[in-house]
Amino acid sequence: MSVLPRPTAVLCAFVAAAALLPTAAPARAATALTFGACPDSVPKPPAPDHVECGRLSVPLDRHHPSGPHIEIAVSRVPASGTPTERRGILLVNPGGPGGSGLPYAVTKRAKLPTSVRRSYDVIGFDPRGVGGSAPVDCGAMGGLFTAPGVDPVPVDPRSERAYLTAQRHMADDCAAGAGTGALPYLSTLQTAYDMDAIRAALGEPRTGFLGVSYGSYLGAAYAAQFPHRVGRMVLDSVVGPWDWHDFDMIQSRALLRARDTFFGWAAAHPDRFGLGADMAAVRRSYLHVRKALAARPVNGFGPAEFDRAVYRALGRTERWASLADGLRAYLTDTTVDGLRPPSAFDGPESRNYEAANRIVKCADGPGPTPREIVTDIRRIRRLDPQPVLTGLEATTCAYWQHRPHHRTPLGGPATPPVLLVASAHDPVTPIRGAHELRKLLPGSRLVTLENDYSHGVFASRRNTCVDGAVAAYLVDGVVPAGDVRCGGAGLSGPQFLSPSGGPPCSKSLGEIEDEARSGPKAGVWGPQAPSEAPARPPVP
């Protein structure tokens, strides 16, 4: 193991970035959480439910518990059921890395099945480096927030060199903003230890956990370190157990498939969207808009901003109609208002998210080499000359000033049965990752929402089959006899783009939960036939 930086140097660097460290580092972490009022950023749940917030002091470095400490912001919505119904705590994480979990305890809980809300205190927290937990800032981040940004897809040796130079500048900006001494401690592994500190401070013997997207990776990291502390764990929209750069490249290929599906869907409704009557025609419309914005950005909206909008829209089918309408509006009168995301990309929350995202990914394992980056981008361009590379966030790790030698450990043979949930055609976290991670979690089961194309499934797609199976596991500990397949709503037309997506079956959620408790039945959520899990993909 390499020698860690001196704690005082780390503390000084982290103070510059966060300004949230206590004036004197406590000798040990707090043993209890005191809750009170929440900041304005945390919404209030409908009465009689209530949310409360607190702060927990944790070591900056788990290897030096008596050294410098930082504070983790924690929120709690108590269980609404009777004491006999209570099952403990359910920590939740919305993903990222870089997503704020403090308000998520309220917003995600509102979507959970009633039985889960009655059974668990839902616990949100901002992971270290995020939101109210010593937030990091990478400053200009290599020009990432410049509007309009340069075209993010390099097409020749000159633009490839420029792309790599921007990644180097981003790494330098993060080292200056967060401090090189702090970079090793903003990792998923350190956050997993913070999770266990929250559990201990709440006096709970086990950690129930619901992690979505990156949250699934965080949950698997917690299971690797604390298998004896794992309660009922749900990993939704699963990140595969790969190096972050490899994952980013796998995602980039899945985005191409999702975009082709979008082209075909829009073409099936030419009267509604006016982008063309076949897939090729819609693609030409799309490429025309992007090429025009690259040549002449509109009010700071150019190719980088366009690709970010497409990346965001492809992840949720509810956003496809807005994307198609935005393309049509530009073709009609060269306006981009329909393509702009609702939140400013260069706002404080976005800046914190983008900084934390890169810092965590680069702290979690070895990064790629510059040569690997160029080779991988050329490979994806051979698949499609105009890919969406917005998700290639780990490329900056090639120039990181702290280079870890090992990847974050995930899962392990001592982990109790875990429930994994995935959408069959999720372009953000392709289902291949769930199959691969399951190999590291013996006894786990996979719940798949078939004929679905979105990111985020449980208590998100409002699918009674999925929600019933997961609720039965969380509340009663029912582990399905085998993997579960649920029917999705599919892509029937513009009307499918409602938040619900439509029910996959005629049974109510209560009926599904009752059947889950008594065991799987054919046609509801019975085990699927065994199938060969896809092999680990080669490095792209």
Side-chain angles (χ1 to χ4, degrees), residues 357-393:
N357 182 282
R358 272 69 172 189
I359 290 175
V360 172
K361 283 190 171 184
C362 295
D364 279 355
T369 66
R371 183 175 181 177
E372 288 171 338
I373 292 171
V374 172
T375 298
D376 290 344
I377 290 177
R378 289 176 179 176
R379 285 176 177 172
I380 195 68
R381 289 196 69 246
R382 283 197 293 269
L383 292 176
D384 191 303
Q386 194 59 72
V388 179
L389 302 183
T390 300
L392 299 192
E393 295 145 342

Side-chain angles (χ1 to χ4, degrees), residues 298 325-338:
V298 177
D325 288 339
L327 294 171
R328 178 60 178 172
Y330 180 86
L331 292 170
T332 302
D333 54 18
T334 65
T335 61
V336 295
D337 292 344

Side-chain angles (χ1 to χ4, degrees), residues 17-315:
L20 286 175
L21 290 168
T23 54
R28 56 185 175 85
T31 57
L33 265 167
T34 301
F35 287 97
C38 290
D40 293 340
S41 60
V42 179
K44 292 180 173 60
D49 294 331
H50 68 280
V51 62
E52 50 198 6
C53 293
R55 303 185 70 81
L56 179 65
S57 178
V58 298
L60 176 64
D61 176 10
R62 66 183 177 87
H63 293 297
H64 294 88
S66 297
H69 279 54
I70 59 173
E71 289 189 339
I72 302 299
V74 182
S75 60
R76 175 173 68 182
V77 182
S80 59
T82 64
T84 57
E85 291 177 281
R86 189 177 182 277
R87 297 292 184 269
I89 57 172
L90 185 69
L91 269 69
V92 293
N93 179 274
S100 172
L102 205 65
Y104 195 62
V106 177
T107 57
K108 185 62 177 182
R109 182 184 182 275
K111 301 176 183 178
L112 295 176
T114 301
S115 60
V116 178
R117 297 199 302 269
R118 294 182 64 85
S119 300
Y120 286 94
D121 297 346
V122 178
I123 310 297
F125 68 101
D126 283 347
R128 54 174 57 201
V130 176
S133 299
V136 292
D137 185 355
C138 285
M141 286 188 70
L144 182 66
F145 300 108
T146 301
V150 299
D151 195 317
V153 180
V155 297
D156 54 33
R158 180 179 179 181
S159 57
E160 289 169 351
R161 289 192 296 270
Y163 180 92
L164 294 176
T165 298
Q167 303 310 306
R168 181 189 295 276
H169 290 164
M170 182 181 293
D172 291 344
D173 287 346
C174 285
T180 55
L183 295 181
Y185 307 108
L186 294 172
S187 66
T188 297
L189 183 59
Q190 294 281 356
T191 298
Y193 275 81
D194 296 343
M195 286 172 54
D196 203 59
I198 293 171
R199 175 205 58 77
L202 293 172
E204 296 287 341
R206 299 285 186 272
T207 299
F209 183 71
L210 168 61
V212 182
S213 195
Y214 163 73
S216 67
Y217 186 92
L218 175 59
Y222 181 86
Q225 300 302 315
F226 304 99
H228 58 294
R229 298 294 189 189
V230 173
R232 292 164 191 170
M233 177 175 285
V234 177
L235 308 181
D236 185 357
S237 302
V238 180
V239 172
W242 305 301
D243 292 337
W244 276 115
H245 176 68
D246 290 356
F247 168 80
D248 290 349
M249 292 304 303
I250 291 166
Q251 181 192 83
S252 70
R253 295 198 296 269
L255 287 168
L256 292 180
R257 295 191 292 271
R259 194 179 62 180
D260 283 347
T261 303
F262 165 76
F263 291 158
W265 172 79
H269 309 284
D271 294 339
R272 168 66 173 83
F273 299 117
L275 297 175
D278 57 53
M279 183 175 166
V282 175
R283 176 182 172 86
R284 286 194 297 271
S285 296
Y286 171 95
L287 293 176
H288 175 80
V289 173
R290 193 189 189 283
K291 182 177 180 180
L293 288 171
R296 183 174 296 180
V298 177
N299 297 326
F301 194 92
E305 293 73 23
F306 177 83
D307 282 2
R308 282 196 293 268
V310 171
Y311 179 90
R312 176 181 179 274
L314 290 178

Side-chain angles (χ1 to χ4, degrees), residues 327-498:
L327 294 171
R328 178 60 178 172
Y330 180 86
L331 292 170
T332 302
D333 54 18
T334 65
T335 61
V336 295
D337 292 344
L339 294 171
R340 288 186 187 275
S343 301
F345 182 64
D346 62 349
E349 290 184 5
S350 178
R351 286 178 175 272
N352 176 225
Y353 175 91
E354 299 295 338
N357 182 282
R358 272 69 172 189
I359 290 175
V360 172
K361 283 190 171 184
C362 295
D364 279 355
T369 66
R371 183 175 181 177
E372 288 171 338
I373 292 171
V374 172
T375 298
D376 290 344
I377 290 177
R378 289 176 179 176
R379 285 176 177 172
I380 195 68
R381 289 196 69 246
R382 283 197 293 269
L383 292 176
D384 191 303
Q386 194 59 72
V388 179
L389 302 183
T390 300
L392 299 192
E393 295 145 342
T395 50
T396 193
C397 303
Y399 300 100
W400 213 242
Q401 296 191 26
H402 164 72
R403 297 182 65 85
H405 299 293
H406 304 288
R407 287 193 296 170
T408 303
L410 301 176
T415 306
V418 167
L419 209 59
L420 295 88
V421 185
S423 167
H425 306 288
D426 181 350
V428 181
T429 54
I431 194 171
R432 174 184 288 177
H435 287 287
E436 289 298 314
L437 184 62
R438 181 173 56 172
K439 297 175 183 178
L440 305 179
L441 297 166
S444 63
R445 298 289 186 264
L446 174 61
V447 178
T448 301
L449 182 58
E450 304 285 357
N451 202 21
D452 185 80
Y453 298 79
S454 286
H455 183 61
V457 182
F458 171 57
S460 180
R461 306 306 293 157
R462 299 185 185 178
N463 182 285
T464 54
C465 172
V466 171
D467 291 357
V470 178
Y473 166 79
L474 286 173
V475 176
D476 294 321
V478 176
V479 178
D483 287 348
V484 176
R485 283 178 172 159
C486 296
L491 303 176
S492 57
Q495 69 274 13
F496 93 97
L497 298 166
S498 63

